[in-house]
Amino acid sequence: MPAVKFWGTRGSIPVAPNARDIRSRLEQVLIKAVDAGVATYDDITPFLDSLPFPDVSSFGGNTSCVEIDDGAGDYLLCDMGSGLREFGGYYLKNEALQRSKTFHIFMSHLHWDHIMGFPFFTPAYLPGHTIKIYGCHSVLEQAIKAQHGSPGFPVNFDNLAANIEFHVFNPGQTVQVNGYEVEALLQLHEGDSYGYRFNKAGKSIVYSTDSEHKVEDQKELDRFVQFIKDADLVVFDAMYSLLESVTLKEDWGHSSNLMGVELCLRAKAKKLCLFHHDPIHNDDEIFQNLEEAQSFLSLITPENQQSLDIVAAWDGLEITL
């Protein structure tokens, strides 16, 4: 069964907690521990397990990079944000996982946060590796090469030792990669972005980030619903809350948590994964967006009829279908 692994889940720019944030979180957890009467080492694990996700974990700070892995064949990824560096390091440190030296990478678009991990992807510097980069932008190769070399980076693209290929295709075409049938969909975003649907052995995974869905454009909403119809998993750009998406952040090219719920319900998708978190949102705010989505689902769908599972992506999350 395929597994979807999240190496980077933020949008726009990588983020990290500072010392003040970490200390504040520790203080809050310790206060709760005292109130809960934690007195022995044996009390620690059950206590931590009882706390909400933001108290004991983090959604992470790497930008977009998602792996689709069914344990066989080559490696298949979406986007090359800063999370790609994490994936490359993990791959090289685990010899048992090096079943292939070929990587297929589908690009949603070419904004900096989605390509910035490539110069730090170690396999690109090693002979014997092959990296195949797919996308629907005519400037795909030009954009990836442009971030290498002076003045922005010390290593010129021509000095990379891996075999690197670029494959441009159009929406409407079906690309066969690593046993998957891959379809692309043009999305509303500055400079255009593309969502991808991966179909294999009766399972469908949709990767859709950097896309705005406007309530008044019913034709485009219908088109997207058809694209994600009956998908087992929809990785969805939920950068904003609904309020943000229709006020201050309207026309910024991103969507919301509640829009993701509505579209997935219409499409009868099985699981919705909120993704591309706003870098200004802390863990509590991302968790609140998740809770709002779950509450909205409960409000519009009777509990005994709910068929949509909703999660929020975090760096290191693995979803097995």
Side-chain angles (χ1 to χ4, degrees):
M1 301 295 285
V4 179
K5 302 177 182 179
F6 294 83
W7 297 95
T9 58
R10 289 278 180 171
S12 299
I13 191 170
V15 295
N18 58 39
R20 182 178 60 255
D21 294 335
I22 294 173
R23 181 182 177 90
S24 175
R25 180 175 295 190
L26 284 172
E27 289 177 347
Q28 294 172 18
V29 170
L30 289 172
I31 290 171
K32 291 180 180 180
V34 172
D35 291 342
V38 173
T40 70
Y41 293 135
D42 291 339
D43 295 335
I44 294 175
T45 297
F47 166 70
L48 293 177
D49 289 343
S50 72
L51 296 176
F53 183 90
D55 284 358
V56 294
S57 301
S58 173
F59 288 97
N62 278 315
T63 57
S64 302
C65 183
V66 176
E67 178 189 4
I68 299 174
D69 179 27
D70 54 14
D74 301 331
Y75 291 92
L76 178 60
L77 299 109
C78 297
D79 279 334
M80 303 191 297
S82 63
L84 184 66
R85 183 190 67 85
E86 298 272 356
F87 167 77
Y90 183 77
Y91 163 82
L92 290 172
K93 289 177 182 178
N94 293 270
E95 291 187 10
L97 298 178
Q98 296 175 24
R99 63 177 186 264
S100 172
K101 291 188 176 183
T102 298
F103 306 88
H104 303 273
I105 306 176
F106 284 82
M107 300 302 304
S108 64
H109 65 308
L110 302 170
H111 286 168
W112 187 30
D113 53 321
H114 291 257
I115 67 174
M116 66 194 315
F118 187 67
F120 302 93
F121 184 46
T122 306
Y125 296 83
L126 302 177
H129 291 83
T130 296
I131 303 170
K132 300 183 179 184
I133 302 173
Y134 303 79
C136 298
H137 292 83
S138 61
V139 295
L140 177 67
E141 181 173 353
Q142 175 187 341
I144 302 303
K145 289 183 175 180
Q147 66 177 336
H148 281 271
S150 180
F153 196 73
V155 181
N156 191 279
F157 185 89
D158 293 336
N159 293 328
L160 300 180
N163 174 41
I164 302 172
E165 304 174 4
F166 295 91
H167 300 272
V168 177
F169 67 104
N170 297 316
Q173 290 181 264
T174 298
V175 180
Q176 302 281 344
V177 174
N178 209 38
Y180 287 88
E181 292 185 350
V182 188
E183 306 168 48
L185 179 77
L186 176 63
Q187 303 178 134
L188 178 60
H189 190 73
E190 178 64 32
D192 293 339
S193 76
Y194 295 87
Y196 295 102
R197 180 171 179 136
F198 300 86
N199 300 311
K200 183 178 181 179
K203 296 291 184 180
S204 295
I205 300 163
V206 174
Y207 178 79
S208 172
T209 187
D210 292 71
S211 177
E212 186 166 2
H213 302 278
K214 292 184 172 292
V215 174
E216 65 272 18
D217 195 341
Q218 193 61 50
K219 182 178 179 180
E220 284 301 307
L221 293 179
D222 291 344
R223 191 171 68 98
F224 185 78
V225 167
Q226 187 61 37
F227 185 68
I228 68 172
K229 187 175 179 58
D230 297 321
D232 294 280
L233 172 66
V234 178
V235 180
F236 185 85
D237 181 338
M239 194 167 187
Y240 307 133
S241 67
L242 179 63
L243 180 61
E244 290 173 322
S245 70
V246 298
T247 55
L248 296 175
K249 306 298 178 67
E250 187 176 10
D251 297 325
W252 283 32
H254 300 282
S255 193
S256 71
N257 51 353
L258 303 194
M259 179 61 77
V261 175
E262 180 175 342
L263 293 173
C264 282
L265 283 176
R266 287 181 55 188
K268 297 182 179 179
K270 298 178 178 64
K271 183 184 287 285
L272 164 65
C273 184
L274 308 179
F275 181 72
H276 203 266
H277 308 306
D278 195 325
I280 69 170
H281 287 169
N282 61 31
D283 290 316
D284 288 323
E285 290 168 314
I286 296 172
F287 192 68
Q288 182 179 344
N289 282 346
L290 171 61
E291 291 184 314
E292 286 180 354
Q294 293 169 333
S295 296
F296 179 62
L297 176 65
S298 298
L299 181 66
I300 63 176
T301 308
E303 186 172 350
N304 61 355
Q305 296 181 21
Q306 290 179 15
S307 57
L308 178 65
D309 183 29
I310 308 173
V311 298
W314 43 271
D315 294 7
L317 173 65
E318 183 173 331
I319 298 174
T320 301
L321 301 180

